[in-house]
């Protein structure tokens, strides 16, 4: 029986396979995967195309935290703060980080424009919520990062209109020298329904772990939850919430 002829993969097929491996790399391991892929592909053009498309997807899905130059602290790379392909808003500092996705580094920062920030009315709510989240993360997540974004209704100027906030919490424990890495990511979507004084909460928790000492065991799990509650606003500076369970 004649031997089957080997079919050479096209560049597009190679790029697709490379992207799959990059996007699905465990937490903190994409740089290791990319190094091996570059050797296997032995084609800089194919690798560079795959990396330029895969790294942004990976960075945003893993909610990676990058240090901003100039002493501004860290910025979370998320779709909620994405202004352009490589620009990400840090609401805490009102700075925009310019990110090199493949190097996983923040190269520079610029002040956010007024159009990129919420109105003063929404910002009061955002800041009040962020202050509580920062305290919670400091207590519960070693080396954790968080941000609170306005994703809808950021131009609302006064009571009577709805708006949405999103809380993002990300923490990673990376210990490749001990053959284990893991991450925790939490996203809370909060809808402020002003007319009925109600909050709608939708949460998503993502946990990943990778153990690779004398083997290869991975865990990827997701849990979603939702709730609602009534709220009253006490006009203060800064604003505070009186949450009344529904």
């Amino acid at each position: 029986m004649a031997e089957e002829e080997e079919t050479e993969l096209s560049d597009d097929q190679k790029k697709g396979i490379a992207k799959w491996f990059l996007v699905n790399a465990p937490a903190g391991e994409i740089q290791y995967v990319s190094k091996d892929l570059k050797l296997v592909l032995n084609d800089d053009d194919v690798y560079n195309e795959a990396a330029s498309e895969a790294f942004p997807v990976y960075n945003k899905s893993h909610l990676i935290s990058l240090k901003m130059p100039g002493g501004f602290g860290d910025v979370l790379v998320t779709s909620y703060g994405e202004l352009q392909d490589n620009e990400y808003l840090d609401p805490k500092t009102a700075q925009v980080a310019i990110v090199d996705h493949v190097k996983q580094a923040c190269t520079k920062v610029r002040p956010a424009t007024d159009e990129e920030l919420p109105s003063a009315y929404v910002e009061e709510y955002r800041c009040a919520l962020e202050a509580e989240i920062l305290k919670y993360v400091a207590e519960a997540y070693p080396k954790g990062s968080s941000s609170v974004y306005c994703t809808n209704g950021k131009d609302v100027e006064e009571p009577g209109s709805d708006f949405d906030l999103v809380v993002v919490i990300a923490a990673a424990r990376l210990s490749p020298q001990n053959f284990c890495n893991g991450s925790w990511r939490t996203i809370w979507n909060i809808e402020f329904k002003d007319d009925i004084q109600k909050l709608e909460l939708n949460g998503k928790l993502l946990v990943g772990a990778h153990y690779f000492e004398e083997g290869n065991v991975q865990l990827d799990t997701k849990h979603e939850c939702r709730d609602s509650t009534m709220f009253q606003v006490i006009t203060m500076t800064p604003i505070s919430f009186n949450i009344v369970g529904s």
Side-chain angles (χ1 to χ4, degrees):
M1 188 174 182
E3 293 184 4
E4 293 185 6
E5 294 183 4
E6 292 186 4
T7 303
E8 178 71 21
L9 294 176
S10 68
D11 286 349
D12 283 343
Q13 289 174 314
K14 292 177 183 177
K15 186 179 77 170
I17 294 170
K19 281 177 59 180
W20 187 92
F21 277 104
L22 290 169
V23 168
N24 289 281
E29 297 180 37
I30 190 172
Q31 294 292 352
Y32 299 109
V33 174
S34 68
K35 184 178 179 181
D36 289 341
L37 275 174
K38 196 168 186 178
L39 291 173
V40 172
L41 287 170
N42 195 28
D43 188 321
D44 287 346
D45 290 337
V46 172
Y47 168 78
N48 289 335
E49 283 189 37
S52 66
E53 295 177 17
F55 268 85
V57 175
Y58 179 91
N59 293 339
K60 286 182 285 186
S61 66
H62 282 264
L63 309 175
I64 69 167
S65 177
L66 300 176
K67 187 170 292 296
M68 292 186 286
F72 287 106
D74 295 340
V75 61
L76 280 174
V77 177
T78 81
S79 59
Y80 305 104
E82 186 174 24
L83 303 176
Q84 297 183 35
D85 289 343
N86 64 340
E87 292 191 350
Y88 295 86
L89 175 67
D90 178 47
K92 291 190 291 292
T93 59
Q95 298 292 313
V96 175
I98 290 80
V99 171
D100 184 322
H101 278 288
V102 176
K103 292 182 179 179
Q104 294 187 311
C106 176
T107 56
K108 59 182 179 179
V109 297
R110 65 166 176 82
T113 65
D114 290 342
E115 291 74 20
E116 293 166 339
L117 296 171
S119 67
Y121 174 75
V122 174
E123 183 65 6
E124 280 193 282
Y125 285 86
R126 196 203 66 76
C127 284
L129 179 57
E130 184 170 67
E132 298 303 316
I133 293 298
L134 286 171
K135 287 190 288 186
Y136 165 68
V137 170
E139 294 173 358
Y141 298 89
K143 299 182 179 179
S145 299
S146 64
S147 265
V148 179
Y149 304 92
C150 179
T151 56
N152 182 49
K154 72 181 184 68
D155 297 324
V156 170
E157 297 283 357
E158 59 187 18
S161 298
D162 301 342
F163 60 91
D164 299 346
L165 298 179
V166 172
V167 177
V168 177
I169 299 172
R173 181 66 65 87
L174 307 178
S175 186
Q177 69 276 15
N178 293 313
F179 308 101
C180 62
N181 296 306
S183 67
W184 174 286
R185 292 157 285 164
T186 310
I187 300 168
W188 292 97
N189 292 275
I190 307 168
E191 299 178 33
F192 286 73
K193 298 184 180 295
D194 188 270
D195 56 339
I196 56 175
Q197 292 287 285
K198 188 176 183 181
L199 295 177
E200 294 280 354
L201 294 91
N202 291 281
K204 180 167 63 175
L205 292 76
L206 302 159
V207 180
H210 184 207
Y211 296 89
F212 48 99
E213 183 175 14
E214 298 182 0
N216 183 11
V217 179
Q218 294 191 50
L219 164 73
D220 283 293
T221 188
K222 178 174 72 172
H223 176 70
E224 295 187 6
C225 52
R226 60 190 309 160
D227 200 358
S228 64
T229 188
M230 306 303 294
F231 77 95
Q232 298 173 349
V233 178
I234 304 172
T235 304
M236 297 175 62
T237 302
I239 201 165
S240 62
F241 300 101
N242 181 17
I243 304 296
V244 181
S246 57

